[in-house]
Amino acid sequence: MTEELSRTSALADRHRALGSGLEDWNGMGTAWEYDTDPNVEHDAIREAAGMFDMSPLKKVRVTGPDAASVVDHAHSRDLTRLAVGQSAYGAVLTEHGTVADDAIAFNNGADDWLFVHGSGASMELLEASADGKDVSVELDDDLHIISLQGPAALGLLEAATDADLAPVPYFHHIHAPLFGRQTMISRTGYSGERGYEIFATADDAGPIWDAILDAGADAGVMPCSFAALDKVRVEAALLFYGYDMTDEHHPSEVGLGWTLSRNGADYRGKTAALAAVGNERFVGAGIVIDHTDMVAGGETLQLDGTDVGTVNSPAFSHRLDQSLALVHLAPAAATPGTILTMVGDGVTYTATVAEIPFFDPNKTRTHA
């Protein structure tokens, strides 16, 4: 499988040593599972810190005099409002106002932007936005991302840098040495915890990974797989492109209506995406299932015998002792407390619509 992949993480050998088969995601071998129990990894993220290799995300450098206008056209947030050292999460839209991808845009100043996205069509749409502009749009696969998420993350990283990380707000970043190696440290993540994403070159990623494990060993810091990441991101109601949203969905139908800038930016698909607000065919929601394990995904949700939705991202949380799922539901069926029937592949369960996020509903941990 690895021979067929178009992209390789500098941390691949470390993942293999931990038991990963390096399954494909986004063209790169990805640590979907380790030999360790994902529940133990889950505990580490919530109680100490878990470390992930997020390098399979695509990192695109957009530079030049027209860089700001290009990223602003390709992203649903008004990026003209971002200060240097600030970033924003948002949708990347088709001309029809549907979700082609999601991405974080980082303003590094001096006509230098970093656009980090998943498995959708961001690159092609950035290139279309750049047509005829004085700008360079380049995939940077030398740039790697190590994500450290959990309550021990801040103390561990502060001890390894001369920068003052504590005051850095959510969705801000700084350029600073870490363990003696030059990095960009961003207060972002995909876990529902206060955490940091460390951007470093391929040459520096391995030594930084090793140094974090050495420094955090006594605190319970450990490498974590995407199996554990899926648990914490479902608990935190964080979306995964291709599962919770596709180019068949408008942002307001999947819980991303808040990313649509109403004023300012004239981004691709704006008129169509805003026209869908208030006219949603379905909405993003969460359910708790009367079951003792994770369901398969793709099941149909019914209310009084009528199909009203679909299960997108299931997970079993041993910490909440609940079978959870992120779903799409008809607006009339999405009120928390509504009792649904879930049907799929020869099984039937009762499910209850729940408030999301399931974990830390007030987001006190990410915004601490």
Side-chain angles (χ1 to χ4, degrees):
M1 178 179 290
T2 54
E3 290 77 14
E4 300 172 0
L5 300 176
S6 59
R7 309 167 62 223
T8 302
S9 170
L11 300 169
D13 286 345
R14 289 168 174 81
H15 299 319
R16 290 191 189 96
L18 292 165
S20 172
L22 292 177
E23 295 80 7
D24 180 20
W25 180 64
N26 219 10
M28 182 177 284
T30 302
W32 283 101
E33 292 183 340
Y34 289 138
D35 288 338
T36 45
D37 185 340
N39 288 338
V40 174
E41 298 168 17
H42 186 173
D43 288 339
I45 298 160
R46 296 287 184 236
E47 297 172 11
M51 185 169 62
F52 305 89
D53 180 9
M54 299 304 296
S55 305
L57 292 168
K58 292 184 177 178
K59 292 77 59 181
V60 182
R61 295 195 180 275
V62 185
T63 57
D66 292 332
S69 65
V70 169
V71 294
D72 202 38
H73 183 256
H75 196 279
S76 67
R77 302 289 291 278
D78 182 2
L79 300 182
T80 64
R81 304 180 63 175
L82 292 191
V84 175
Q86 191 173 3
S87 60
Y89 170 83
V92 179
L93 303 181
T94 68
E95 295 286 357
H96 305 293
T98 57
V99 184
D101 207 350
D102 60 342
I104 299 180
F106 297 80
N107 183 2
N108 287 320
D111 300 325
D112 179 3
W113 289 76
L114 181 65
F115 205 91
V116 178
H117 71 95
S119 57
S122 283
M123 187 64 172
E124 296 91 327
L125 293 171
L126 277 170
E127 290 173 334
S129 295
D131 188 40
K133 300 290 183 68
D134 187 1
V135 68
S136 170
V137 178
E138 299 289 340
L139 176 68
D140 185 356
D141 253 352
D142 183 62
L143 190 63
H144 282 52
I145 306 174
I146 296 172
S147 182
L148 187 66
Q149 303 289 309
L154 173 60
L156 189 156
L157 296 180
E158 277 208 309
T161 181
D162 55 11
D164 189 1
L165 281 181
V168 176
Y170 196 38
F171 276 87
H172 286 67
H173 58 280
I174 60 172
H175 292 80
L178 185 68
F179 297 105
R181 296 173 184 269
Q182 192 57 40
T183 66
M184 184 178 91
I185 305 172
S186 171
R187 190 176 159 187
T188 45
Y190 194 53
S191 68
E193 293 289 343
R194 180 170 184 152
Y196 298 85
E197 292 179 313
I198 302 153
F199 293 75
T201 65
D203 285 345
D204 289 338
I208 291 171
W209 176 277
D210 296 341
I212 289 173
L213 289 181
D214 288 343
D218 291 342
V221 176
M222 67 184 298
C224 293
S225 64
F226 271 42
L229 184 64
D230 214 36
K231 291 174 179 290
V232 296
R233 71 96 180 170
V234 170
E235 285 184 338
L238 300 172
L239 308 183
F240 191 172
Y241 188 80
Y243 291 85
D244 306 297
M245 52 185 164
T246 73
D247 60 8
E248 296 180 356
H249 308 142
H250 289 103
S252 59
E253 294 176 322
V254 297
L256 293 181
W258 65 272
T259 70
L260 297 174
S261 294
R262 268 65 174 174
N263 302 310
D266 184 22
Y267 50 89
R268 176 187 291 105
K270 178 179 182 178
T271 299
L274 291 177
V277 176
N279 299 298
E280 291 83 7
R281 299 163 295 172
F282 47 83
V283 294
I287 60 171
V288 175
I289 305 156
D290 186 14
H291 185 41
T292 57
D293 203 349
M294 171 178 155
V295 300
E299 294 86 355
T300 298
L301 296 167
Q302 298 179 339
L303 178 62
D304 297 329
T306 300
D307 292 355
V308 293
T310 306
V311 173
N312 301 319
S313 290
F316 186 83
S317 169
H318 76 287
R319 295 181 66 85
L320 300 178
D321 193 25
Q322 290 177 328
S323 183
L324 311 173
L326 300 179
V327 303
H328 291 160
L329 282 175
T335 303
T338 302
I339 305 299
L340 305 171
T341 300
M342 192 194 79
V343 180
D345 198 22
V347 298
T348 300
Y349 298 110
T350 299
T352 305
V353 181
E355 297 278 2
I356 51 174
F358 304 101
F359 170 79
D360 189 23
N362 295 320
K363 301 185 180 182
T364 58
R365 295 166 82 95
T366 52
H367 294 66

